[in-house]
Amino acid sequence: MKRAVKIFDTGIETIRAGCSSYRKPFQSLMRQSYLFQVISQLAVLTSARLLGAVCVFLVSLMITRSFGAEVMAHYSLYLAAASIISVILPLGFHAIASMIIAEYNAEARMMDQHAFIGYGHRLIALMAVALIAVALCFLFFVPASSHYQLSVLTLMTIPAAIAMAYTYFNAGTLIGLQHQYSGQLPDMALRPLLLLAGIGLLVYFHIEATILQVLLISSFAIWVAAIVQWWALRRAIRHKDGATCGSATEGEPKKWWQLAPGWGVINILWEYFVGYASLWV
């Protein structure tokens, strides 16, 4: 009997040793798989960013050569104004979206997650209403004899800025949900490709495009990218288990407002001061 027990114990130890010997290669394989996934995602996103940069360069070149410096000047003002306004509208919530959503996602706090997303969307909508009111006042007092077509610039900049604000917020949300591609590719690659296609068609058919036509094509590309990203966010939320609506846990909105303004200022400084200053170094 003792001998049988001894043989049984020896067999158990052998099995354990065998499992241990296979566990290390398996863990190493898992680490390699994760590393490969990270590298592949980085490669895809870097390639998409390079593609977008090339498209933007070609668009600028075609506008300047085919439509003149005046159209290019209006397009540059439109794009700069829309970019700056779009990072102000979310009041910093786009800068903390990935961090907050990732925290709620890791802790399976679906109610707080959906509450944050809804809160951010409503905040941008309220800021958009205020922006439209300011724009209408500006249009009322805008000088008629201006070198720039300020009325056209204002009417085209406001919708583009609103769409870009939603794009930035939804991008941070999707990244927090571990959907890096759908969070970044619409704005990074789809929008420049659509813009290049639209301007390219005008150049190919030798159409003497006006300032309004160029800005309409750009606004169309911005809105299509925003809608595609919104649809991707709705799909990502639908596939999550848990509550789809409700209020946030008490104290959470206060935490959001404690974080958002500071991170928003850092985001603006990084994008429009550090980023551009590095181009001149």
Side-chain angles (χ1 to χ4, degrees):
M1 184 66 182
K2 291 182 178 179
R3 185 178 179 182
V5 171
K6 186 176 181 181
I7 293 173
F8 178 77
D9 292 340
T10 304
I12 293 297
E13 292 297 329
T14 304
I15 293 172
R16 287 178 178 174
C19 291
S20 299
S21 62
Y22 282 106
R23 188 183 304 162
K24 291 181 179 179
F26 179 74
Q27 291 175 344
S28 177
L29 180 63
M30 290 296 292
R31 285 195 296 268
Q32 291 177 2
S33 176
Y34 176 75
L35 181 61
F36 176 77
Q37 182 181 5
V38 171
I39 293 175
S40 63
Q41 287 182 352
L42 181 62
V44 171
L45 294 176
T46 303
S47 301
R49 183 172 290 275
L50 289 174
L51 175 63
V54 171
C55 291
V56 169
F57 172 76
L58 293 176
V59 165
S60 301
L61 186 64
M62 286 191 295
I63 291 176
T64 304
R65 290 176 62 89
S66 301
F67 309 135
E70 183 181 359
V71 176
M72 185 61 199
H74 281 80
Y75 173 73
S76 299
L77 283 175
Y78 152 84
L79 201 59
S83 299
I84 294 173
I85 294 172
S86 65
V87 297
I88 296 175
L89 286 181
L91 297 179
F93 273 69
H94 67 294
I96 66 170
S98 59
M99 177 176 58
I100 296 295
I101 293 297
E103 175 187 342
Y104 293 158
N105 194 43
E107 298 175 359
R109 295 164 60 182
M110 300 305 168
M111 186 77 76
D112 289 334
Q113 187 179 96
H114 288 281
F116 177 81
I117 296 172
Y119 193 94
H121 287 165
R122 290 191 298 272
L123 176 64
I124 295 173
L126 289 174
M127 292 296 295
V129 171
L131 177 64
I132 292 171
V134 173
L136 290 175
C137 294
F138 175 77
L139 288 174
F140 183 78
F141 293 105
V142 66
S145 60
S146 175
H147 179 69
Y148 294 100
Q149 298 183 20
L150 296 180
S151 299
V152 174
L153 281 173
T154 304
L155 290 173
M156 299 307 301
T157 298
I158 301 307
I162 294 171
M164 291 169 67
Y166 277 109
T167 296
Y168 295 150
F169 179 79
N170 291 337
T173 302
L174 283 164
I175 292 171
L177 292 171
Q178 301 299 315
H179 291 269
Q180 285 81 2
Y181 291 153
S182 55
Q184 300 185 61
L185 290 182
D187 185 61
M188 192 183 292
L190 178 61
R191 178 163 69 97
L193 285 171
L194 290 173
L195 181 59
L196 179 62
I199 300 299
L201 287 174
L202 293 179
V203 174
Y204 180 78
F205 290 105
H206 303 285
I207 299 174
E208 291 294 331
T210 63
I211 295 170
L212 179 60
Q213 288 174 329
V214 172
L215 299 189
L216 278 172
I217 292 174
S218 179
S219 297
F220 173 78
I222 290 171
W223 271 97
V224 168
I227 291 171
V228 169
Q229 193 177 58
W230 189 299
W231 174 77
L233 177 60
R234 300 308 301 175
R235 283 195 62 188
I237 294 174
R238 195 180 303 120
H239 291 161
K240 288 287 181 182
D241 295 328
T244 56
C245 60
S247 302
T249 305
E250 185 178 357
E252 290 300 307
K254 182 180 179 180
K255 183 180 78 172
W256 303 339
W257 280 107
Q258 288 175 343
L259 294 172
W263 279 98
V265 171
I266 292 172
N267 182 259
I268 293 173
L269 291 175
W270 180 261
E271 291 288 340
Y272 297 103
F273 290 93
V274 178
Y276 288 135
S278 64
L279 298 177
W280 300 96
V281 176

